[in-house]
Amino acid sequence: MNRNQWVEFFEDLEDSDVEHPLSSQKHLQRKRESKKNETDARLFVRAQELSREFQFTYKAARFEEAWLLDSLFDIAEHQWISDVLRKVKGGKEASVYLCKPGAAIPNTDYVAAKVYRPRMLRNLRNDGLYRQGRTDLDTEGRQVIDDGMLHAMQKKTEYGRELLHQSWMAYEFTSMQDLHAAGADVPEPYTLSNNAILMEYIGDLDGSAPTLSEVGLDRTEAGALFERVLRNLDVMLTHERIHGDLSAYNILYWDGDITLIDFPQVVSPRINRHAFRIFERDVKRVCDYFSQQGVRSDPKSLAQELWTSHGYNLPREKPEEEE
Ligand SMILES: Nc1ncnc2c1ncn2[C@@H]1O[C@H](COP(=O)(O)OP(=O)(O)OP(=O)(O)O)[C@@H](O)[C@H]1O
Ligand SMILES: [Mg+2]
């Protein structure tokens, strides 16, 4: 099943849940219905084939099961996972599943699979802001230099959008690899497939770690964790990475420690011309959360200090509006 078929499939799935303001457009509806039937048929044939070789404990709905098989089959075949136990969270861009590791990941009880929704690209508004200056990556994390591929991405053809999707995932995965190796508090990434990232699971069998936004901290702990986040920002700048969507919603809290997650929109402080503005926003969101926990700070000067201490230049004038 290619990416566009998946997009249509999900659109149909979502349309059935919401009131459609254009429901009078019957012909469009009929066209969609026949497409849906065709798509469903293909989806289930493939899912049936794959399910002979990979069965999992999680009782997924019919469509979800087919989507999981399509996204996780390769990972299972290469022994990265042996079972899908349950859904941890359904996010805007991806759903995260608790899995049992396979032989390729010994001495680990659980792993997390982040499985992307095909609509990911559309949901990521303002993608131009993050892609500014970026070189796109292929599924192996290598720079795309092929003219045909570059052209498809520029024109956003069906193939191009598939490549862009792969590039976002590759950025997320390679950033996690580099930052984990550099000692940042990020989940250990294990492998990347066509539509999923397999990584260290934060939590236990009873539940995944809450995000910082879901917990209140006492003043002393908040102070220590704030310093910890600043240390992570520092490591990230050293490794030429800005998170790009950092806030208390993308920091997990477990056993008194923090873990930063959700990296598809990382940007480079050297290359992206909006980098400082993106960085400043990350710092401000973090400071906002910690000020609610009793830790006072000055986000503007903090961002500037961190930025200049790594030798990066501050933008001279007010940056242009978002693309
Ligand atoms: N490694 C992990 N271990 C445990 N839970 C995780 C892990 N990664 C993600 N989660 C859970 O899944 C949720 C969604 O993950 P993430 O933020 O990466 O995806 P997302 O689709 O961008 O979500 P959202 O749109 O809600 O930000 C997180 O808020 C967290 O609760
Ligand atoms: Mg998130």
Side-chain angles (χ1 to χ4, degrees), residues 253-298:
Y253 173 75
W254 190 250
D255 272 349
D257 282 332
I258 51 152
T259 307
L260 278 53
I261 57 164
D262 204 2
F263 289 85
Q265 56 272 300
V266 282
V267 297
S268 159
R270 271 195 205 291
I271 294 168
N272 188 306
R273 67 173 183 271
H274 312 291
F276 180 69
R277 186 161 48 118
I278 297 171
F279 180 69
E280 209 179 18
R281 190 185 56 188
D282 279 0
V283 173
K284 183 174 180 314
R285 287 184 180 159
V286 166
C287 290
D288 285 350
Y289 168 79
F290 280 99
S291 84
Q292 287 158 18
Q293 314 303 314
V295 183
R296 298 176 95 207
S297 59
D298 176 353

Side-chain angles (χ1 to χ4, degrees), residues 50 53-54 69 72-82 104:
L50 298 181
E53 290 173 62
F54 180 43
L69 281 166
L72 296 178
F73 185 79
D74 283 353
I75 287 182
E77 202 179 37
H78 289 93
Q79 316 252 325
W80 292 102
I81 59 170
S82 61

Side-chain angles (χ1 to χ4, degrees), residues 47-318:
Q48 225 171 13
E49 281 166 18
L50 298 181
S51 68
R52 273 185 226 124
E53 290 173 62
F54 180 43
Q55 294 94 31
F56 46 79
T57 304
Y58 173 59
K59 293 270 167 284
R62 251 170 103 228
F63 287 112
E64 188 187 14
E65 186 185 27
W67 172 53
L68 285 178
L69 281 166
D70 195 73
S71 305
L72 296 178
F73 185 79
D74 283 353
I75 287 182
E77 202 179 37
H78 289 93
Q79 316 252 325
W80 292 102
I81 59 170
S82 61
D83 199 1
V84 181
L85 299 175
R86 61 182 168 75
K87 188 193 268 187
V88 169
K89 276 265 167 71
K92 287 193 298 291
E93 283 146 22
S95 291
V96 175
Y97 294 84
L98 175 65
C99 301
K100 246 182 126 75
I105 312 175
N107 310 320
T108 306
D109 292 333
Y110 305 109
V111 290
K114 179 170 178 177
V115 186
Y116 276 92
R117 296 165 64 93
R119 284 176 148 238
M120 179 219 179
L121 271 180
R122 290 171 182 200
N123 288 345
L124 201 75
R125 268 177 290 138
N126 240 334
D127 66 343
L129 181 69
Y130 303 98
R131 293 192 65 237
Q132 202 282 318
R134 248 192 199 191
T135 327
D136 282 300
L137 303 179
D138 65 15
T139 42
E140 310 293 321
R142 287 181 306 237
Q143 290 190 2
V144 174
I145 45 167
D146 179 276
D147 281 345
M149 288 163 88
L150 291 170
H151 184 73
M153 284 191 276
Q154 203 184 13
K155 293 278 170 219
K156 296 215 172 159
T157 62
E158 182 185 319
Y159 174 54
R161 293 196 307 153
E162 174 62 36
L163 293 173
L164 285 168
H165 174 70
Q166 300 293 347
S167 181
W168 282 110
M169 287 181 47
Y171 261 95
E172 177 160 26
F173 186 70
T174 53
S175 300
M176 289 176 75
Q177 276 183 317
D178 290 354
L179 293 172
H180 186 264
D185 298 310
V186 306
E188 180 177 356
Y190 299 120
T191 189
L192 171 71
S193 81
N194 63 328
N195 200 43
I197 290 177
L198 193 71
M199 65 181 104
E200 180 183 346
Y201 171 71
I202 315 294
D204 60 24
L205 194 54
D206 293 330
S208 61
T211 58
L212 269 187
S213 61
E214 295 168 322
V215 297
L217 306 169
D218 71 47
R219 170 70 187 77
T220 318
E221 188 178 20
L225 291 185
F226 182 56
E227 289 305 318
R228 191 81 194 169
V229 176
L230 296 186
R231 191 191 80 89
N232 276 275
L233 288 173
D234 191 67
V235 173
M236 288 180 73
L237 282 179
T238 305
H239 292 265
E240 302 197 7
R241 296 263 187 352
I242 296 166
H243 186 287
D245 188 24
L246 194 63
S247 74
Y249 294 93
N250 278 329
I251 302 177
L252 301 180
Y253 173 75
W254 190 250
D255 272 349
D257 282 332
I258 51 152
T259 307
L260 278 53
I261 57 164
D262 204 2
F263 289 85
Q265 56 272 300
V266 282
V267 297
S268 159
R270 271 195 205 291
I271 294 168
N272 188 306
R273 67 173 183 271
H274 312 291
F276 180 69
R277 186 161 48 118
I278 297 171
F279 180 69
E280 209 179 18
R281 190 185 56 188
D282 279 0
V283 173
K284 183 174 180 314
R285 287 184 180 159
V286 166
C287 290
D288 285 350
Y289 168 79
F290 280 99
S291 84
Q292 287 158 18
Q293 314 303 314
V295 183
R296 298 176 95 207
S297 59
D298 176 353
K300 253 189 163 11
S301 52
L302 194 57
Q304 290 189 1
E305 272 165 39
L306 275 163
W307 191 256
T308 50
S309 72
H310 285 82
Y312 301 129
N313 295 325
L314 292 168
R316 249 177 269 138
E317 53 206 273
K318 201 174 172 342

